[in-house]
Amino acid sequence: KGKGLYYRLKVDYSRLTDRLDLIIREAFTFGFPVVDEVDQLKRTEITAELELGWIGNGWDVALGYEYYQLKFDDDVFAQAENQRDTFWGEFGIDVGARTRLYLRGKAEQLEFPEEYLIDADIWSAVVGLDGLLMTKKIRYDINGGYKNWDADNNGLVGDDNDYEDWIFWAQVVYRPWEERKLSFQLEGGRDVDWSAISNYRIDDRIFFSIRDDLMPNRLAYDITLQVS
């Protein structure tokens, strides 16, 4: 991206079979049948995102919208299917040769069509810093702020509590050589997201990743260790 107006359009379609929310706590909670095989967790995720922004002299601004939909192949988990509309905005300003200060706000609407789990209106605002740390080889991004998970009164589950508290996230990326794509990335923090077994879940996570090209521009690998 150079200076001036820019836009970004992204569409993603994924077919997944990995674990979801600890396999719905072995599918016992709320009377779900037992999960016999991993194929029962086959699901489709669709994401479409549009971003518009402007980069000026020492400042930038961006607005975006994202649509997300989750659907399961197995009717056992139909109650966990959901869709989310997200609107966000960000304003940043350079506060040094290598540092950018930014403010980001986000408004989300989460809906469960089967009306088993509880819909929610979600609001968040964070302030952060990103840039280079002492050398061009190390890049960081750290932010923190406030999140409000405002649960509706629909749905059949008994948990309709709201979340009103702090969230934070930090990321450090180290690239030893500019001519190679090898990077070491450490990130972690706290956020809140939907849960397949209750109103919401609090995620405290730490990731460590190693990424590189096995064959330049043809084949890459990504090794990630996660603790949550």
Side-chain angles (χ1 to χ4, degrees):
K1 296 183 298 188
K3 292 183 179 180
L5 180 68
Y6 73 90
Y7 71 92
R8 181 184 293 114
L9 177 64
K10 181 179 74 174
V11 178
D12 181 76
Y13 174 89
S14 301
R15 289 281 293 165
L16 305 170
T17 57
D18 59 321
R19 295 166 67 91
L20 177 68
D21 213 349
L22 299 180
I23 306 189
I24 323 300
R25 294 275 173 89
E26 305 307 329
F28 283 116
T29 306
F30 303 130
F32 287 172
V34 176
V35 176
D36 296 321
E37 55 187 16
V38 72
D39 281 352
Q40 286 183 262
L41 292 170
K42 281 187 176 179
R43 62 189 189 271
T44 301
E45 295 188 39
I46 299 174
T47 304
E49 181 178 357
L50 174 63
E51 177 183 344
L52 295 173
W54 184 276
I55 299 178
N57 291 318
W59 63 274
D60 60 90
V61 63
L63 297 173
Y65 166 77
E66 179 183 274
Y67 172 80
Y68 170 82
Q69 183 184 69
L70 168 67
K71 295 187 70 69
F72 284 89
D73 288 8
D74 197 316
D75 291 340
V76 168
F77 301 115
Q79 57 265 55
E81 295 180 348
N82 67 78
Q83 62 187 45
R84 183 191 305 237
D85 295 287
T86 302
F87 296 89
W88 61 269
E90 180 174 311
F91 176 76
I93 184 170
D94 295 340
V95 293
R98 296 183 173 184
T99 305
R100 172 178 172 267
L101 172 69
Y102 63 87
L103 175 66
R104 181 187 304 135
K106 184 185 295 185
E108 306 170 77
Q109 185 175 55
L110 176 65
E111 296 182 351
F112 294 91
E114 295 295 323
E115 297 187 353
Y116 185 87
L117 299 175
I118 297 177
D119 298 345
D121 296 317
I122 308 147
W123 308 84
S124 63
V126 299
V127 60
L129 291 171
D130 64 26
L132 300 175
L133 185 62
M134 297 181 292
T135 171
K136 292 183 179 180
K137 296 180 179 180
I138 303 177
R139 176 169 290 278
Y140 72 93
D141 186 346
I142 181 170
N143 65 69
Y146 181 80
K147 192 164 190 174
N148 181 311
W149 186 286
D150 184 11
D152 292 342
N153 293 321
N154 67 330
L156 300 179
V157 298
D159 179 9
D160 61 353
N161 293 320
D162 296 338
Y163 178 90
E164 299 177 80
D165 211 335
W166 296 98
I167 56 174
F168 60 91
W169 198 259
Q171 178 189 79
V172 178
V173 181
Y174 174 57
R175 291 188 61 181
W177 302 284
E178 293 185 5
E179 63 274 12
R180 288 185 55 183
K181 291 187 178 180
L182 174 65
S183 67
F184 302 89
Q185 181 169 313
L186 179 65
E187 61 182 305
R190 165 170 288 193
D191 201 355
V192 179
D193 205 347
W194 74 277
S195 171
I197 59 174
S198 63
N199 184 17
Y200 62 81
R201 70 176 188 270
I202 299 174
D203 282 339
D204 292 312
R205 298 186 181 187
I206 298 176
F207 299 85
F208 176 71
S209 301
I210 302 174
R211 301 174 181 176
D212 197 10
D213 279 350
L214 291 177
M215 300 175 61
N217 300 319
R218 293 185 180 181
L219 182 63
Y221 72 86
D222 184 334
I223 302 173
T224 300
L225 174 65
Q226 174 183 326
V227 178
S228 62

